[in-house]
Each structure stands twice: as C-alpha cells, then as structure tokens.
Amino acid sequence: MKPRIAQSHLTRVYERIERPLVPVVAQMETTGVRIDPEILRGQSNTLAQRMQKLETEIHALAGHPFNVGSTQQLGAVLFSEMGLPGGSKGKNGHYSTASDVLEPLAEQGHEIVSKVLDWRSVSKLKSTYTDALPQQISQKTGRVHTSFSLVGAATGRLSSTDPNLQNIPIRTEDGRAIRQAFVAEDGFTLLSVDYSQIEMRLAASVAGVEALIEGFREGLDIHALTASQVFGIPLKELPADKRRAAKAINFGIIYGISGFGLSKQIGISPGEANAFIRDYLDRFHELRDWMEATKEFAREHGYVETLFGRRIHITGIKEKNAARRAFAERQSINAPLQGTAADIMKRAMIRVGPALKDAKLNARLLLQVHDELVFEVPKKEIDATVEIVKNVMEGASAPAVTLRVPLVAEAKHAANWAEAH
DNA sequence: TCTCCATACC
DNA sequence: CAGGTATGGAGAC
C-alpha cells in the first residue's frame, strides 16, 4: 500500500494521523465505559408500561388489535381503514408512515397518530438502548466496550458499533435519561469536552467569509449574527424565529444546501427557501465562491480534500441525471468541512494522552462522539485535566494548519453523562 | 440472511 | 430532494 499512499500524497495523513490514532482508539476500546444496568432496567420497566398503555389505546382507536410496529399494518389502518388524509403509496405499494408524514396529522388532532408517534419513540428507546445496553456489559470488566472503526465513514469520521455509543439519545428528556446510566468509576468523574460549532467555524475560515470570521473572533452568537446580517435586523431587536431560520441555513450550508431541503427543514415553501439562500450567499459572497470552486475541484479530480490533505472520493459529480449530480455536489461541499473537523479531532486525540502524562494526570479517554471527547477523571484532578484537554483541543489544528477563526472547546463534568454534557 | 423502514446521534 | 453514520423490527425469501 505504501507506494499507493505516497502517490496519492496521503503519507502525512497516514503517518501523522491514522497510524498514531490506532493505539489511542485501541486503548479506548479496551478501557470501556461503566454502565449501571440497574438504572437501565428501571427505565425499561417504565417504558414497557407506557408502551403497553399506548398500544391498548391505539388498538381501541383503530377498532381492532394490530402490530403497531409494522409499518405495513399501520399504513393500512391509518390510510385504508380510517381514511386519514395524506396517505400516498410508494414504489413498494405501501403507505409511508414516516414521521414527517405522521407529524402533520398529529398536529391536526388525530389522536391515534400522536399515540403512534409516542409509541415509536418509547419503543426505540427501549429496544435499542435500555434493553440492549445491559446485555453488552462485559463479564470480565463490568464495562461496555464499543468498537470504533477508522474506516467506517468516507469523510474520515470514526464510527462506532457493537454497541454504537455515538448515538446515545440526548434530544428528548426520556432519551437523555439513558445517559444517567453512563457513570464514572468510584473516585472518578465523567468529563465531556466538545468543540463549539467547529464545522461552521471551518466554513468561515476556508471560504474566507470576513463577516463570519469577525463574528467568531469576537465570540458572538453566530446564528443571531447571521440572522441580523441576512435579514437586516439589528442584533438586539432580533425575533427568535429569525434566529432559528438563520441557524437552519447555517446548517444547510454545511450540508451543501438545497432550497428543497431547507424548505422541508423549516416548513416554508421551496421558493421562499431559495430566496433565503440567495440573500445569504449575497451577504456572505465568499461562501458562494468557495462552494463553486469546490465543486469545480471535484469535477476536475473526482475527489475533494480536507485542510490536512485527506481525500474524499466523489462519484456522480459529472452525472447527466440532475438529482444525482446535485447529491454529489452537496457531498463535495460537506466533505471538506466534516472531514477537516474529523482530522482536527483525531489530532487532539493523539496529543491528549501525552499531554496528560506530562502533567502527571490520570484521566482516561473513553469515547469520541465526532465533536466531543468523554473522559473518566480522578475527582481531585478535574481542574487540571479540563485545562489541558481544552488547550489540546483548541490548538489541535496547529501548527500544520492555521485557521482564521479560533476553535473553542467547552467542558462539563458530573457523575454521569446526562449531567456532564 | 437480506432489504426496507423508521429513528437514534453529530 | 440537506451531509455523515448504526440499530432494531417487520417481512420476504
């Protein structure tokens, strides 16, 4: 492989990032994370009762029992039997029961639909997390040992399997409660340190968006700043819905925006969404230039690169089919941002162990969740550890790459992962 | 065993 | 028809 790596100019990425990361990740897998099975068993019981009650109510509203977990049976009940509006059959001849189909129906007051959505979320939490995680506790160590893949994601991100510890719930209150079961060993505390808006900072930096660079340097609320500049409203008069819209556009930019996608995300028409995007790219015109240049690079080379030289191959960029070509173009925009963030995080992971050792600190790195590192830290060492981890993460792009914006890492610690995030 | 659907995360 | 992933259940084979 070595000559092929050299020919592709990937020697530095391989020798300075991927290879030294291997022992770091191996140590994380070996160490594992402590999970309290009693907490999860208690939650499983509560969730089972709620599922049972919802199921009974759903069957009563439907007029007969059926398998709520079967999308086929559910579609037949809601759209054929009960005649709810909006049912459309896909290519498999079945009705879609996806959440974006069911949510409007729930809002219109169709009680059975809101109960189905509740049932689904409870069912997901129970089967995937509260039931499954206790079974993954090692007899030998009493801890859960995930497996991280360094080649799982095309952009250079890690992935996590058996179990996936990178998708533990946090969004909803019930989901977040699962993190209470992720606990520190006695005498230790859990420390979570995450990058603040790293991909947006990278977009501002690589595209050279002067207004955003200035905003990040001054530590401003970047979504509010975006809204203020795009909609022409003074910062202190900004309504919450404008900030929300601006935040959605900022995310859209990172994903390689489409008017259709943005419209679906924030519930406006594609025409309005396109107007938003046009105004945004007029105001931050450097971003438009960068996006065009990046797509052109992908067309010419068939790949795009991160700031550290990692390549992400893009197929379909010259497709005649417009939808497939547009997909490849969005990948070309997203991959350098997501991939550079992944590179920076990997550099931080490689450096943090030696930095802690030099300071005679005994924290153990347990998990990486893309922009977050989770450590188990001896209680007495927490302040010194936070200081070192933050510094390593905030400095991880240097000296190989000089960014035009600061990287900011935020730390929180507690006895469990729910409180520490 | 495989695909599809739905849904969990960043 | 917004970028990147993993998992569980249903249902087909």
Side-chain angles (χ1 to χ4, degrees):
Chain A
M1 294 297 289
K2 205 160 192 171
R4 290 181 59 190
I5 289 171
Q7 279 157 20
S8 304
H9 303 102
L10 288 168
T11 305
R12 280 178 74 90
V13 169
Y14 176 61
E15 292 188 355
R16 306 292 279 270
I17 301 180
E18 297 306 309
R19 202 168 58 191
L21 188 64
V22 169
V24 176
V25 166
Q27 178 269 319
M28 294 165 71
E29 293 180 347
T30 304
T31 304
V33 56
R34 182 177 174 197
I35 291 182
D36 183 339
E38 292 314 312
I39 292 177
L40 294 177
R41 278 192 233 292
Q43 290 176 352
S44 277
N45 289 333
T46 311
L47 296 175
Q49 286 179 20
R50 285 170 54 191
M51 268 173 83
Q52 186 53 249
K53 181 158 181 282
L54 286 164
E55 215 166 300
T56 307
E57 292 165 351
I58 289 164
H59 292 164
L61 289 165
H64 63 89
F66 68 99
N67 184 344
V68 182
S70 160
T71 49
Q72 235 176 89
Q73 293 180 35
L74 179 65
V77 166
L78 296 181
F79 300 114
S80 296
E81 296 176 20
M82 302 183 71
L84 294 188
S88 65
K89 293 185 183 182
K91 51 177 175 250
N92 51 16
H94 300 141
Y95 291 107
S96 168
T97 66
S99 61
D100 42 338
V101 174
L102 298 192
E103 262 152 25
L105 295 171
E107 276 173 37
Q108 289 160 34
H110 295 288
E111 225 181 326
I112 187 170
V113 180
S114 28
K115 287 183 192 299
V116 166
L117 289 171
D118 285 350
W119 182 92
R120 275 199 187 148
S121 90
V122 172
S123 165
K124 177 73 175 179
L125 295 180
K126 182 171 185 292
S127 65
T128 309
Y129 304 104
T130 61
D131 287 349
L133 286 173
Q135 300 179 336
Q136 297 273 357
I137 298 173
S138 158
Q139 291 295 313
K140 221 186 289 176
T141 67
R143 293 164 71 99
V144 171
H145 303 262
T146 186
S147 174
F148 286 106
S149 172
L150 275 66
V151 295
T155 54
R157 275 190 178 180
L158 303 187
S159 66
S160 160
T161 60
D162 307 307
N164 180 359
L165 295 185
Q166 290 182 321
N167 74 344
I168 302 302
I170 191 167
R171 230 180 55 254
T172 66
E173 191 185 334
D174 290 336
R176 177 182 276 254
I178 290 166
R179 295 184 175 223
Q180 293 168 359
F182 288 71
V183 294
E185 189 181 308
D186 299 350
F188 288 70
T189 184
L190 279 193
L191 168 67
S192 160
V193 191
D194 67 292
Y195 281 113
S196 164
Q197 303 179 64
I198 186 169
E199 290 180 22
M200 195 64 215
R201 288 170 193 269
L202 292 173
S205 182
V206 300
V209 186
E210 298 300 337
L212 293 177
I213 290 169
E214 196 179 319
F216 279 123
R217 286 182 179 171
E218 289 173 18
L220 300 181
D221 175 340
I222 210 69
H223 301 311
L225 174 72
T226 300
S228 164
Q229 300 217 355
V230 172
F231 302 124
I233 304 169
L235 261 181
K236 43 187 178 261
E237 294 170 27
L238 197 71
D241 64 316
K242 295 286 184 219
R243 184 187 180 278
R244 233 188 338 270
K247 184 176 176 181
I249 307 182
N250 280 336
F251 271 100
I253 292 296
I254 291 165
Y255 293 152
I257 204 152
S258 82
F260 184 89
L262 180 66
S263 71
K264 231 173 56 172
Q265 185 63 39
I266 57 179
I268 58 176
S269 75
E272 289 172 301
N274 278 319
F276 270 2
I277 295 167
R278 187 196 60 222
D279 292 348
Y280 184 102
L281 293 179
D282 284 346
R283 180 62 194 82
F284 304 127
H285 55 93
E286 301 97 328
L287 217 27
R288 174 182 280 136
D289 298 340
W290 176 79
M291 289 166 74
E292 287 307 317
T294 302
K295 288 187 275 186
E296 183 54 37
F297 187 97
R299 275 191 291 272
E300 190 177 333
H301 297 97
Y303 62 84
V304 291
E305 283 182 346
T306 68
L307 289 184
F308 297 88
R310 179 188 306 279
R311 291 183 181 184
I312 297 99
H313 293 273
I314 306 286
T315 59
I317 193 82
K318 291 183 173 178
E319 270 268 356
K320 272 213 316 280
N321 179 309
R324 276 188 272 205
R325 188 174 65 244
F327 180 56
E329 289 177 350
R330 292 194 293 274
Q331 288 180 322
S332 311
I333 302 301
N334 173 260
L337 302 174
Q338 190 181 123
T340 300
D343 290 342
I344 291 172
M345 177 56 100
K346 286 175 167 178
R347 288 165 60 90
M349 293 167 71
I350 292 162
R351 290 178 183 183
V352 76
L356 291 168
K357 192 172 177 215
D358 284 351
K360 304 237 180 319
L361 294 170
N362 298 287
R364 317 157 174 156
L365 180 54
L366 306 182
L367 299 173
Q368 187 252 44
V369 191
H370 310 307
D371 64 357
E372 172 190 13
L373 294 178
V374 180
F375 298 83
E376 197 167 41
V377 184
K379 279 181 182 167
K380 289 180 178 164
E381 299 180 5
I382 186 67
D383 291 343
T385 302
V386 165
E387 171 78 8
I388 285 180
V389 173
K390 275 185 65 167
N391 283 337
V392 167
M393 287 175 68
E394 291 177 351
S397 62
V401 161
T402 304
L403 297 176
R404 296 191 57 196
V405 294
L407 292 179
V408 172
E410 295 171 341
K412 207 168 168 204
H413 62 92
N416 67 65
W417 199 12
E419 317 297 331
H421 189 89

